[in-house]
Each structure stands twice: as C-alpha cells, then as structure tokens.
Amino acid sequence: MAVTLSEKAAKHVADYMVKRGKGIGLRLGVRTSGCSGVAYKLEFADVAEPDDVEFESHGVKVLIDAKSLPYLDGTELDYTREGLSEGFKFNNPNVKDACGCGESFNV
C-alpha cells in the first residue's frame, strides 16, 4: 500500500512548510460528505497521530489515518495549474464514481 506525491506537489508542500515555519508533513484523509459518499481532506500535520500510517514521497512525509487508507491506497497527489486555477489534484485509482460537482466520490 502506498500514497505518493508528484514532484510538483512535493515541492509545493515543502515550500509551504518552510513559509509556515513548522510541521512534519502532509495529512491526507477522507470524510463522509457530498452526494457520492466521501470527500478528500488535506491539511498540514504538526504531529503524527497514533493511528497514522506514514509514507515518504520526494522527501515529504505523508500521513494517513488507518480508516482512510483503503480509500486512498495507490493515490498520487499532484499539484496542477490550469489557466488561472491551481491546486492539488487526487489521482485515485479506487474511485468508481464521483458527483457532478466533483466534491465527493465512492469506491
């Protein structure tokens, strides 16, 4: 099982953590939401939680709670720019269906 960051995403996270001045890595997870079932959650982590599973990708630590891991296993987090929009994009091979607005998905 693994969750990875693209080089662009890892650079963006590392640069932001330097600006932020603290943190040990990036925490990814899912929460119940939307019309399709679950939605991604993403935040900077200052400490590891007891049930976290840790990965390292391009020098950045990625923490995922054990309950979210089955939904995220195999996912690559990318950082993209399209026109004036930029942000993180989850490339998740487990997604079977997503809602029309793109907020939630199911596996």
Side-chain angles (χ1 to χ4, degrees):
M1 295 200 288
V3 175
T4 59
L5 303 178
S6 70
E7 287 186 44
K8 286 182 183 179
K11 181 175 179 355
H12 184 77
V13 170
D15 290 348
Y16 188 81
M17 286 177 52
V18 168
K19 288 179 193 173
R20 191 172 177 255
K22 64 179 180 176
I24 63 166
L26 188 66
R27 181 180 311 283
L28 302 178
V30 296
R31 60 181 167 78
T32 303
S33 178
C35 50
S36 288
V38 294
Y40 298 109
K41 59 182 183 177
L42 181 145
E43 62 190 10
F44 290 92
D46 294 327
V47 297
E49 299 297 331
D51 72 334
D52 283 342
V53 178
E54 295 183 18
F55 301 97
E56 188 167 319
S57 185
H58 298 288
V60 174
K61 188 180 288 191
V62 180
L63 301 107
I64 302 171
D65 65 274
K67 290 181 182 176
S68 295
L69 188 56
Y71 295 95
L72 299 175
D73 185 31
T75 296
E76 180 194 52
L77 183 63
D78 195 8
Y79 192 79
T80 61
R81 270 194 187 155
E82 295 175 10
L84 298 175
S85 299
E86 64 182 284
F88 289 105
K89 179 181 178 184
F90 289 83
N91 297 314
N92 186 341
N94 303 305
V95 172
K96 302 291 184 229
D97 192 28
C99 67
C101 67
E103 161 136 354
S104 63
F105 67 96
N106 65 43
V107 295

